[in-house]
Every structure is written in structure tokens, then in C-alpha cells.
Amino acid sequence: MQALVKISQGIDVLNRWIGRGTIWFILASVLISAGNAVIRKTFDISSNAWLEVQWYLFAAAFLGAAGYVLQVDEHVRIDAVAQRFSARHRAWIDLVALVFFVLPFCALMLDLGGNYFWQAWVSGEASYNAGGLIRWPVALTIPVGFALLALQAISEIIKRIEFLRGRRAQSTTRETDLPEFMGSAPEPGARP
């Protein structure tokens, strides 16, 4: 089981780096949007490529951060109901949801998204808008994002099992539980 814990920690590091890095996609999208609006209003010049790159960046940020959001336990759920259960009961519910819902959904999206990306790549699909961009980069965000989410689901399954076996102090990890972003201290929720 110790090898699985190491795998879980590696997945956590990967998703944390990528999830935190998506901040730059959001910043770039905002700057491009503002610049495009100023140029369009000031000089009456516009480009479909600049409009499309905004939603490409948003797609990369949204899908790239999905695994990180699961890691820091900020995903959507009904907290009003979940908080009524004990920590062990919540860990069991999470375990069932991860195994029977999240992983199969990720597998489906990897299959469909991978096929969509491949078709866009092979065909050289481009935007239907004049001056638009090629589509395979944004299509690639689907399988990559769901692969990262699936990996994080596996990491979370390992953590829930460790918690249920009494080897972790808590079943979930919050951003505040993690060491400084660039630090290398061990995760506080883990027991030695």
C-alpha cells in the first residue's frame, strides 16, 4: 500500500502544479479580451482568432484545473447533507462516488474526447469563422483534462482507503492543509 501512497502523492503534485498554473490561462484570457475590446472600439478592427483564443484558454483553465479542484475538496456536492454524516461515512460515500461515478464518467469522456481530438487532428479541422483558429488544440483539452481528473480520482480513492484503514488523520485535503506551493513538506493529513 505504501507504493500506492507514493503514486497518490505524485498525482497530487502533478495536479497541483497544473491546477495552479491555470491561473495564467485566466490572466491571458482576460488580457486578450480587454485588449481585443479596446482595439475593436478604438480602431474598429476585430479578429475571430482573438475571440476564439479566449475560449480556448478558458477551456484549458477549466479542464486543466478539474483534478486540482477535486484534490482540494472544492468540487460541487450537497454540503448541507454531507456535513450531517460522520467523517467515516463521508469517506465511504466519496469512495463509492469516485469508483462508480467519477471514474466511469472520466473513461467515457476520455474515449469521446480522445476521438473528437483525433478527428480534429487528422482532418485539420479549423473554425468556420473567417480568420478562426484550428480546432485540435481546444479538442485536446478534453482528454487531457479528464485524464488529470481520473488520475486525481485514483489518488482520492487511495486517500479514502488510507483514512478508512486509520492511516490518515483526515480523508480529504484542503488547500490550507498543503505546504507552501513551492515547498516540499509532507501533506499534513498523512500519518507517518
Side-chain angles (χ1 to χ4, degrees):
M1 193 68 181
Q2 197 59 28
L4 292 176
V5 171
K6 290 288 186 195
I7 291 169
S8 172
Q9 290 170 345
I11 293 168
D12 288 352
V13 168
L14 172 70
N15 267 318
R16 190 166 189 216
W17 272 93
I18 293 171
R20 296 293 294 264
T22 61
I23 292 168
W24 296 106
F25 292 144
I26 298 295
L27 177 62
S29 182
V30 168
L31 292 175
I32 289 168
S33 177
N36 196 30
V38 168
I39 289 169
R40 188 175 65 245
K41 295 296 182 186
T42 306
F43 302 108
D44 200 26
I45 300 171
S46 186
S47 166
N48 285 326
W50 287 111
L51 294 173
E52 290 180 8
V53 78
Q54 293 171 52
W55 66 267
Y56 280 33
L57 289 167
F58 181 76
F62 181 82
L63 290 166
Y68 177 64
V69 169
L70 181 61
Q71 177 187 2
V72 295
D73 199 37
E74 292 294 332
H75 53 285
V76 176
R77 76 162 142 246
I78 306 171
D79 284 331
V81 174
Q83 65 183 297
R84 297 179 190 267
F85 299 124
S86 69
R88 285 187 65 78
H89 194 96
R90 283 193 308 267
W92 275 109
I93 291 170
D94 287 348
L95 194 56
V96 168
L98 289 165
V99 170
F100 294 107
F101 297 103
V102 176
L103 284 179
F105 181 68
C106 287
L108 174 67
M109 292 308 295
L110 275 166
D111 181 47
L112 296 174
N115 288 333
Y116 175 62
F117 159 71
W118 185 249
Q119 291 302 315
W121 172 270
V122 170
S123 69
E125 180 183 352
S127 172
Y128 297 112
N129 297 319
L133 302 174
I134 55 173
R135 290 288 167 100
W136 69 262
V138 75
L140 181 61
T141 63
I142 298 169
V144 169
F146 279 98
L148 291 169
L149 182 59
L151 285 172
Q152 192 61 46
I154 291 167
S155 176
E156 297 304 312
I157 289 167
I158 294 166
K159 290 179 206 173
R160 297 316 186 275
I161 291 170
E162 284 291 288
F163 172 76
L164 291 169
R165 294 177 72 196
R167 296 185 178 173
R168 277 182 60 94
Q170 56 194 36
S171 66
T172 61
T173 304
R174 300 273 183 184
E175 177 66 30
T176 55
D177 297 334
L178 296 172
E180 290 295 320
F181 181 57
M182 301 301 265
S184 59
E187 187 178 314
R191 288 191 177 161

